[in-house]
Structure formats: structure tokens, C-alpha cells
Amino acid sequence: MKDVYILGIESSCDETAIAVVKNGREILSNVINSQIPIHEKFGGVVPEIASRCHIEVINQIMKKALAEANIELKDIDAIAVTQGPGLVGALLVGVSYAKGLAYASGKPLVAVNHLEGHIAANYLCFKELEPPFLCLQISGGNTQLIEVNGYNDFKVLGKTRDDAVGEAFDKVARVVGLGYPGGPKVDNLAKEGNPVYDLPRTNLEGLDFSFSGIKTAVINLNHKDPNINKADLCASFQQAVTDMLITNSIKAINQTNSKKFVIAGGVSRNSYIRKAFTDLGKEMNLEIYYPEPILCTDNGAMIAAQGYFNYIKGERADLNLNAVPNLKI
Ligand code: KG4
């Protein structure tokens, strides 16, 4: 069978990322231009600045991605782009650029759901991984338990009713004065502390999550005692969040009889969560998968990987393609 080369374009938040992936599994290049240093001084992503930064660099990133993959645009089979969810202005830069490129080159255009892309990051790391499996999607904007029945067949079993888990990490980090991006900073500081604070674990009926209670509890503790040991607070927060993720994951595993459990999204980079799920895998005799750290956060390779599966299924977008900031699985 002929090899299929997909160019994947990602611009949903503060990374301008473009990659070339062969047959949905092999990364030939994965160029990521992070805007973290620009947004750091504002304590979070400023949408308008993010859009402008994407515009400034996207063409160079595309050229770099082709050069590193040692491939020319004429040899690319299709152009895949993140359609949503994300910041509308940021998404529009990638979508408009991809449409222009597809029109000028005559290549097919394929729309990709960013959340499906995060799941597909695992196909790049584990060549043997195939659906069906159960997936815990934990990122800055989403927290969901998803039954993945095929490369294009998803069923959401539960989701957060308020904050996404990454959002809670970022807010806690801001309150305790760690700055942006908060997740990795909480992860690092927690290693120096102990989970001495008994924080509330919200356990809803069914498989939905809620993280606003624990976030508020951390904020209140911090306000009551500004000299509180921040490392202990971070360790307690991280442990409580992980407990909630594990509780619902066990419920979902038992409900679906899954033997394969995949973790996806930026928060899957968290060292404590990775260890907790690895231990759970041993305990419950499950295969646990999570992507290597660079593929956990936003990247073009995951968009190219999911783009491949959409492409071979026959999905095509046209020049009316628009960004959808609240796109769902
Ligand atoms: O998946 P992602 O790159 O963007 C979205 O699609 O949302 O996730 C970004 C989120 C941020 O909230 C960031 O703080 C969090 O992932 N994150 C972490 C870690 N690394 C990134 N959260 C906890 N621990 C980490 N090590």
C-alpha cells in the first residue's frame, strides 16, 4: 500500500505547531513554537496576542516542518488542521492558513477535532495500540472519560461539570504565586511537600467530574494562612485531584470491562498522575498508556495522526471550513 504523508497544523491556543506524519504513526517532523515566554508576564494566555503571534510565525514553521521531514509540499497527501475546540482567533489563523495552502497546492483539506488529536498522540508513541480502549482526557480546557471504539468512533461517558483539571492546576498555581503555566510548577513543587491537608473530593453519581470545590478549598486555605507551606498545599491538591480521577476511572473501567486505559492531554504530563495510573494498571491488571511528555501538550503531530485516520476514512473539508471554538467530541 502507498505511504500516506499528512501535514498537521495546530494553533488552538498558544503553540504554533506543524508536523509531518507518515501513515498516522511515524513522526517525520514535529515543530512547535511555544508562546509561553510572551504570555508569562500576563499570568495566562492573552487571546489577541496569541492570534497575532500565530500569524507572525506560521509560514516559517510550515517551511521548517517540511524541511525537517525532508519532504516537499507536492509529496504531502493531505493537509490536516485543528478546527476546534480552542480560542477562536488562534484557531482561525491555522484554519485560514490551511485553507490557503490546500487551495494553492490542490491538496485535500481535513478537519481535526483537537481532543481527538490528543488521543491520537498515543498512536504515535505506541505503534501497536488500536481501539477499542477507554480514555481519560485531561487538559487545560477539558476533562472527559471517553470510550474509544474506533479511530473515528467516540462515546463520552463522563465530563467535568465546571473547571477542567488543567484549569484547576493553573488557578491553584496562580493563587499560591507560582505563575503561568501552572501545571508543571505545581507538579514540581509538590515533589518537595507532603499531602498533609485533607481537601474535599467531589464524588458525583455517574462518571462526571467537578473540580471547582477543591480549587476553592485550596484558595481558602491559602487566604487564611498566607505563610502556609506551599509545597504541602500543592502535594495535597495534586493527591486529591488524582483520587477523583482514579475513582471515576475505576467506575468506567468496571462499567465497560476495558483492559486498555489511555491517558491524553496536557495534564497527562503530570508525574504524580502518571505514577498513580501506572500503579492502578498493576493492581487491576490493565494496560496503561500515556504519551511521551512532548506529545502530551499541543503539537502538530497529533493533529496529523488523527488527520490520517479521518483522511483514510474519506473525510474532506472544503474552503467553507470554519473554526469552532466549542467543538465537542
Ligand atoms: O492539552 P494542553 O496542552 O492544552 C489544551 O488542549 O488544553 O494542556 C494544557 C494544560 C495546562 O492547564 C497546563 O497547566 C497543564 O496542561 N499541564 C500540567 C502539567 N503540564 C501541563 N498539569 C499538571 N502537571 C503537569 N506536569
Side-chain angles (χ1 to χ4, degrees):
M1 217 171 77
K2 183 191 166 297
D3 289 326
V4 175
Y5 296 91
I6 305 284
L7 185 79
I9 301 176
E10 155 63 32
S11 70
S12 66
C13 191
D14 60 341
E15 268 98 21
T16 321
I18 304 189
V20 178
V21 167
K22 183 177 164 186
N23 298 331
R25 297 272 180 178
E26 191 186 332
I27 298 176
L28 302 188
S29 66
N30 190 22
V31 183
I32 303 172
N33 182 70
S34 171
Q35 301 173 7
I36 285 176
I38 295 165
H39 298 287
E40 219 166 14
K41 52 182 171 291
F42 302 104
V45 178
V46 183
E48 181 57 27
I49 294 177
S51 314
R52 284 163 193 251
C53 291
H54 286 311
I55 293 171
E56 276 167 21
V57 301
I58 197 162
N59 202 40
Q60 288 107 284
I61 300 296
M62 195 278 290
K63 286 184 180 158
K64 203 167 169 207
L66 289 178
E68 284 185 12
N70 203 13
I71 196 168
E72 290 179 39
L73 187 57
K74 69 174 174 45
D75 299 315
I76 292 287
D77 290 278
I79 295 160
V81 64
T82 302
Q83 183 184 16
L87 302 169
V88 68
L91 286 166
L92 274 171
V93 177
V95 168
S96 309
Y97 185 80
K99 288 201 287 191
L101 203 58
Y103 182 66
S105 64
K107 302 287 176 190
L109 180 66
V110 178
V112 175
N113 181 316
H114 180 80
L115 305 173
E116 296 176 11
H118 272 303
I119 299 171
N122 283 280
Y123 302 136
L124 297 165
C125 300
F126 305 100
K127 311 288 178 215
E128 78 292 358
L129 176 65
E130 288 177 1
F133 52 78
L134 192 61
C135 176
L136 176 67
Q137 160 96 54
I138 39 177
S139 58
N142 283 274
T143 303
Q144 292 179 310
L145 272 162
I146 304 161
E147 212 179 334
V148 182
N149 293 315
Y151 293 104
N152 306 89
D153 184 358
F154 307 90
K155 183 177 170 197
V156 177
L157 303 179
K159 58 181 186 314
T160 181
R161 293 198 186 165
D162 39 54
D163 291 348
V165 67
E167 208 177 338
F169 266 95
D170 292 338
K171 282 183 187 161
V172 163
R174 192 181 310 170
V175 165
V176 302
L178 298 178
Y180 169 85
K185 295 186 174 169
V186 171
D187 188 357
N188 283 336
L189 188 59
K191 289 181 188 140
E192 295 167 27
N194 293 306
V196 295
Y197 298 104
D198 187 21
L199 295 168
R201 274 85 166 146
T202 309
N203 187 2
L204 301 173
E205 233 178 81
L207 294 173
D208 279 354
F209 299 94
S210 166
F211 298 103
S212 60
I214 183 168
K215 180 194 68 187
T216 309
V218 171
I219 293 172
N220 287 346
L221 274 176
N222 192 62
H223 280 169
K224 259 190 234 154
D225 177 7
N227 297 319
I228 197 165
N229 183 313
K230 312 259 189 239
D232 286 348
L233 193 56
C234 286
S236 309
F237 165 75
Q238 203 168 251
Q239 188 195 55
V241 163
T242 307
D243 281 355
M244 289 190 261
L245 294 174
I246 294 255
T247 301
N248 276 17
S249 299
I250 293 175
K251 281 195 230 168
I253 290 162
N254 291 335
Q255 192 175 305
T256 56
N257 280 324
S258 297
K259 283 282 152 221
K260 282 191 266 184
F261 192 84
V262 169
I263 311 174
V267 184
S268 62
R269 218 174 155 143
N270 183 275
S271 58
Y272 187 86
I273 293 174
R274 287 167 96 101
K275 178 166 184 326
F277 276 93
T278 303
D279 292 347
L280 181 74
K282 287 182 194 142
E283 229 172 84
M284 293 186 73
N285 203 15
L286 297 168
E287 291 171 30
I288 303 281
Y289 300 87
Y290 38 76
E292 60 184 83
I294 190 69
L295 294 175
C296 287
T297 40
D298 296 347
N299 64 85
M302 69 185 202
I303 301 306
Q306 184 58 37
Y308 167 81
F309 293 108
N310 296 356
Y311 174 73
I312 58 168
K313 190 179 160 229
E315 287 184 17
R316 301 289 183 270
D318 62 24
L319 296 181
N320 291 315
L321 181 71
N322 205 353
V324 181
N326 61 351
L327 189 67
K328 307 265 185 296
I329 277 195

